[in-house]
Amino acid sequence: MAGRITHFEIYGDEPSKLAEFYSALFGWGTEQAEGLDYWRIHLDPTDTSTVGGGLTYRPRSDPKGWLQFVDVESIDDTLALAQRIGAKVVRPKTAVPRTAWVAVLADPSGNMFAVWQPDALAFPSRNQIEGLTSGTTNQGCARSMGTRCSRPA
């Protein structure tokens, strides 16, 4: 089918370390392709017949790209683990009202990705909303993701 996403690639200066990072964070299986500086990513580590993506050395020109969102069971646990194993929080946990919680991270090589925890009850706290209307903070509301922020009903 035309237009379907086939896989993704993650670039870094030390792809073998990134393979360990993503295996520890999301449980992905990784394996180095024979004779290549390329690591295959198996989103289901028990099924090595399908490849969801790959890791390799960063090309000479630093590529720009799309932000990938990865579903997680617990955004809080994922953020804690990610930071312990070398990630940096780029955008803290934010509510996409009545949809999900989202945060943006940078892996140890600086590649950004988002983690997404679906939650039909997600909503910013009153303090976070009041901070938005006073211009003091943007945490807790997905304004930057195109979602309009409003007070809870």
Side-chain angles (χ1 to χ4, degrees):
M1 177 169 108
R4 174 176 75 86
I5 294 173
T6 60
H7 72 285
F8 59 89
E9 285 188 340
I10 301 170
Y11 304 110
D13 298 324
E14 298 180 80
S16 62
K17 289 186 180 178
L18 284 179
E20 293 172 14
F21 172 83
Y22 284 106
S23 291
L25 186 60
F26 297 128
W28 294 345
T30 57
E31 66 175 327
Q32 186 171 1
E34 186 176 340
L36 298 174
D37 288 328
Y38 194 89
W39 287 254
R40 292 183 188 101
I41 297 172
H42 305 285
L43 302 178
D44 176 356
T46 64
D47 181 8
T48 58
S49 67
T50 60
V51 175
L55 285 156
T56 191
Y57 287 94
R58 188 177 310 281
R60 289 181 193 243
S61 62
D62 193 16
K64 307 297 182 218
W66 294 0
L67 190 63
Q68 304 293 319
F69 290 74
V70 180
D71 278 338
V72 297
E73 289 184 28
S74 168
I75 199 162
D76 294 324
D77 291 348
T78 301
L79 289 171
L81 174 59
Q83 289 175 87
R84 271 196 315 274
I85 61 176
K88 301 227 181 325
V89 176
V90 175
R91 184 185 312 145
K93 177 182 170 182
T94 303
V96 178
R98 297 180 178 90
T99 305
W101 295 101
V102 64
V104 177
L105 300 166
D107 71 19
S109 286
N111 299 302
M112 291 196 316
F113 63 97
V115 290
W116 177 271
Q117 178 189 334
D119 182 353
L121 302 176
F123 211 87
S125 70
R126 285 207 182 274
N127 289 341
Q128 292 167 327
I129 293 170
E130 288 167 6
L132 284 166
T133 58
S134 68
T136 59
T137 182
N138 68 354
Q139 293 182 13
C141 184
R143 181 180 303 276
S144 63
M145 297 187 65
T147 303
R148 187 169 172 231
C149 301
S150 60
R151 292 195 179 279

